[in-house]
Structure formats: structure tokens, C-alpha cells
């Protein structure tokens, strides 16, 4: 084993969360400057993890790191032996459980670190499939959107098990991402939608299908620089996400704040019930004003993301 330093970036879902679980399309964007870092070193004894959520031996990890434990066990069995000593440090700029892809970025960084440390070639398909080992434990039945976006250099258009293609953005606008500071509850939110699907199949299906249509409408606005239309689509998506019970008072409050501050559209992003929301505006200056208003009205952290591909 050799010492390696690797990283993976964050993501946000522009539109299509929850519907994507039911094979509707979603659009997501990489946030390349917000990252998780993994440093893996050889050591003589122990299988040691240093991280924000846990410090200690792999065998003693708390429940929240069960996915990581399973992932590392698989990687060691595949690349070396299950008892190989190692020293792994994870640090991250991505807030945990806020819909910004923190768990997927951690899984990707760990997978890349072990392959690099054992000097093994890692193709993209293997990377995504391996990172999915821990994502399945963390999220239950993930669509794969998080892992795919955290590993993509470009925005992507995604349909579960069907389509993953880069999306060229020809739109001059800015997104403001704001964190409620409350941990999202992706797993619970996904099962709440599943329950709705059992209880009211027709109505729920209609909402999910409508979200899919909105995603496809959004593709056209992104290609044609139709900022106001994109904003309106985001607002419609937020209404549906609320009907699916995955928003929260804190998210609704930030959405209302951004709208009052002049945003063109605002919605939650990711699993919901906490986590982050996003807002659309036309200029950097307006983005700063909206971000300030959001911070003054309870957002714990904000980021401004230009929409044009760099
Ligand atoms: O909360 P996040 O960022 O992990 O996003 C979850 C997105 C969902 O569509 C709700 C679930 C999924 O697996 O795609």
C-alpha cells in the first residue's frame, strides 16, 4: 500500500428529486469547488478512521458509518486481505446530510483512495458500482444520481438505470444554494413518498409524472437561455414536492424569503425534510442580495453557483 490523497466533489439536484426514484428524469449539477478529501496511509497495526463523524477502529464504527464499513470491507477483500492495516483520514467541505452529496462523495473518495493505494486501475463503471455499496446502506434504494453527479465534471441528465448524459448549459444565471442547517432525511422522505404511492397510487403517480415533465421542460430552458421560464418551473416543482410531503417549515421559510428577495424560482434540493434549497436569479449582484437575505433569515450557509458550464 502507498500513501494517497484523493477527493470528490459535491452536487445539487436542479430538478427531478424523488421522481427520479420512479424512473423519471432528473437534472443535477456538480459543485466542483466544494469537496471531500481522503488520505489513505499504510500502517503496521489497526484499521483506523479519522473523520468528523467517527474516530477509531473500523470494527467500532457507529451506525452512521455502517455503509462506509461495508464499503471498506469489500475494497480490502477485493484489493488485498480483509485484515490489512490502514489509516484513513476523511475531511470535507460538504455539510453532512444536506442534499449536497456528502455521503456519495465520501464513498467515491474512499473507493478511489483504496484503488490508488493498491495501484489498481479503476474504471468509471466499477467506481460508481463500488461507491453504491455504501449508498445503498445509507439511502435504502438510491437512484444512483448522487454518485453519478459527484463523479461528473458536467451537469447531467439522468434516468435511473437508463440514461446518464452530460448536459450543456447555455444559460446566463446563478443559483443560490442555502442550507437550513437541519439534517435532511432522505431515507425517511423516500419512504414517505413510497407510502403515498401505496395509499394514493393515481394521485401520487400524477405528481411524479408531472415532475418528470417539468424536468424535460427545464432541459429546453437550459438550452435556450430561458431564465424566467426555468424559475417558473422550479416554483412548480416546489409545489409538487410539498404535496409529496418532502418539504419542511425551514425549507418553506427559506423559499419564501428568496422569493420575496426577488428570486426567479426557488425549491428544495435533494431528499428534503431539511437540508438545502436552491434559488435562481439573473446576476451575481442579485445572487449576493438573495444570499444575504437568506443568511439573515436563518440559512446557516449559502453558496453562489454560476449556471454556465465552465
Ligand atoms: O438527499 P440527496 O441529495 O441524497 O438526494 C436524494 C435524491 C432522491 O431523489 C430523493 C433519492 C434518490 O436516490 O435519487
Amino acid at each position: 500500500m502507498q500513501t494517497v490523497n484523493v477527493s470528490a466533489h459535491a452536487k445539487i439536484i436542479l430538478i427531478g428529486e424523488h421522481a427520479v426514484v420512479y424512473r423519471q428524469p432528473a437534472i443535477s449539477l456538480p459543485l466542483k469547488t466544494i469537496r471531500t478529501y481522503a488520505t489513505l496511509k499504510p500502517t503496521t497495526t489497526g484499521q483506523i478512521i479519522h473523520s468528523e463523524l467517527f474516530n477509531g477502529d473500523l470494527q467500532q464504527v457507529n451506525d452512521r458509518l455502517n455503509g462506509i464499513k461495508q464499503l471498506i470491507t469489500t475494497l480490502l477483500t477485493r484489493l488485498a486481505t480483509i485484515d490489512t492495516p490502514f489509516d484513513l483520514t476523511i475531511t470535507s467541505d460538504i455539510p453532512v446530510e444536506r442534499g449536497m452529496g456528502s455521503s456519495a462523495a465520501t464513498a467515491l473518495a474512499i473507493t478511489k483512495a483504496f484503488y490508488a493505494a493498491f495501484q489498481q486501475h479503476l474504471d468509471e463503471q466499477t467506481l460508481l458500482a463500488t461507491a453504491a455499496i455504501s449508498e445503498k446502506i445509507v439511502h435504502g434504494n438510491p437512484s444512483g444520481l448522487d454518485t453519478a453527479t459527484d463523479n461528473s465534471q458536467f451537469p447531467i441528465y439522468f434516468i435511473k438505470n437508463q440514461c446518464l448524459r452530460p448536459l450543456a448549459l447555455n444559460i446566463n444565471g446563478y443559483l443560490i444554494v442555502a442550507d437550513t442547517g437541519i439534517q435532511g432525511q432522505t431515507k425517511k422522505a423516500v419512504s414517505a413518498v413510497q407510502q403515498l404511492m401505496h395509499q394514493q397510487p393515481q394521485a401520487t403517480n400524477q405528481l411524479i409524472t408531472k415532475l418528470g415533465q417539468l424536468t424535460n421542460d427545464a432541459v429546453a430552458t437550459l438550452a435556450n437561455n430561458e431564465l424566467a421560464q426555468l424559475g417558473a418551473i422550479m416554483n412548480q416543482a416546489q409545489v409538487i414536492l410539498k404535496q409529496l410531503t418532502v418539504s419542511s417549515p425551514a425549507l418553506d421559510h427559506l423559499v419564501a424569503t428568496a422569493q420575496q428577495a426577488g428570486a426567479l424560482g426557488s425549491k428544495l434540493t435533494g431528499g428534503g425534510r431539511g437540508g438545502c434549497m436552491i434559488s435562481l436569479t439573473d446576476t451575481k449582484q442579485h445572487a449576493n442580495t438573495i444570499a444575504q437575505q437568506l443568511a439573515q433569515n436563518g440559512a446557516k450557509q449559502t453558496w453562489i453557483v454560476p449556471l454556465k458550464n465552465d
Side-chain angles (χ1 to χ4, degrees):
M1 182 192 279
Q2 62 179 20
T3 298
V4 293
N5 286 298
V6 298
S7 66
H9 55 247
K11 70 101 200 6
I12 45 158
I13 299 174
L14 179 63
I15 189 160
E17 51 274 275
H18 288 288
V20 72
V21 174
Y22 299 88
R23 296 212 157 76
Q24 292 291 335
I27 300 168
S28 54
L29 316 177
L31 300 181
K32 287 184 262 180
T33 55
I34 310 172
R35 303 188 76 86
T36 291
Y37 302 87
T39 302
L40 183 58
K41 293 188 210 157
T43 178
T44 46
T45 53
Q47 295 185 314
I48 308 301
I49 299 179
H50 312 275
S51 78
E52 197 186 317
L53 296 181
F54 175 79
N55 277 289
D57 194 273
L58 180 67
Q59 296 313 320
Q60 256 101 57
V61 294
N62 51 38
D63 279 355
R64 292 176 74 180
L65 265 79
N66 267 339
I68 298 298
K69 182 177 174 184
Q70 184 63 47
L71 173 64
I72 294 176
T73 305
T74 307
L75 285 163
L76 284 177
T77 313
R78 193 184 290 172
L79 299 166
T81 56
I82 195 163
D83 55 356
T84 307
F86 66 82
D87 184 295
L88 174 68
T89 303
I90 310 278
T91 55
S92 187
D93 308 329
I94 312 176
V96 175
E97 284 176 42
R98 304 296 213 289
M100 290 177 74
S102 155
S103 64
T106 306
L108 288 165
I110 290 176
T111 306
K112 288 199 257 186
F114 275 87
Y115 269 80
F118 290 107
Q119 291 160 285
Q120 295 292 313
H121 172 71
L122 177 61
D123 62 64
E124 190 177 2
Q125 213 182 344
T126 310
L127 172 59
L128 295 182
T130 308
I133 294 169
S134 71
E135 281 296 275
K136 278 188 188 131
I137 294 169
V138 179
H139 282 324
N141 179 26
S143 63
L145 178 63
D146 279 20
T147 334
T149 320
D150 280 6
N151 193 47
S152 172
Q153 294 302 310
F154 305 100
I156 60 174
Y157 177 87
F158 181 91
I159 303 176
K160 186 178 178 179
N161 297 337
Q162 271 181 47
C163 172
L164 196 181
R165 70 173 161 84
L167 201 62
L169 302 191
N170 170 38
I171 191 158
N172 296 310
Y174 290 83
L175 285 179
I176 303 99
V177 183
D179 181 6
T180 59
I182 299 165
Q183 292 203 341
Q185 299 178 36
T186 301
K187 207 169 176 172
K188 275 196 190 148
V190 169
S191 29
V193 176
Q194 199 177 17
Q195 220 174 330
L196 275 184
M197 196 55 106
H198 283 304
Q199 287 162 353
Q200 304 165 32
Q202 208 182 345
T204 310
N205 244 318
Q206 261 172 17
L207 295 176
I208 294 286
T209 308
K210 178 70 186 160
L211 273 178
Q213 276 165 9
L214 289 173
T215 298
N216 284 329
D217 294 346
V219 173
T221 66
L222 292 167
N224 302 324
N225 198 13
E226 294 167 344
L227 211 55
Q229 288 88 332
L230 178 59
I233 289 170
M234 288 168 65
N235 288 336
Q236 288 178 62
Q238 174 63 14
V239 171
I240 296 178
L241 289 164
K242 270 187 85 162
Q243 287 171 323
L244 289 172
T245 75
V246 297
S247 196
S248 73
L251 284 165
D252 293 344
H253 176 61
L254 292 185
V255 164
T257 302
Q259 293 300 106
Q260 273 159 26
L264 297 167
S266 302
K267 62 182 277 295
L268 68 86
T269 181
R273 298 203 167 178
C276 290
M277 54 77 72
I278 53 174
S279 260
L280 181 72
T281 190
D282 51 358
T283 64
K284 184 85 187 282
Q285 202 187 343
H286 284 154
N288 281 325
T289 310
I290 294 167
Q292 258 168 24
Q293 285 297 317
L294 287 166
Q296 280 166 20
N297 282 275
K300 292 289 167 301
Q301 216 176 336
T302 59
W303 298 263
I304 292 175
V305 183
L307 270 175
K308 255 231 149 74
N309 290 351
D310 51 19

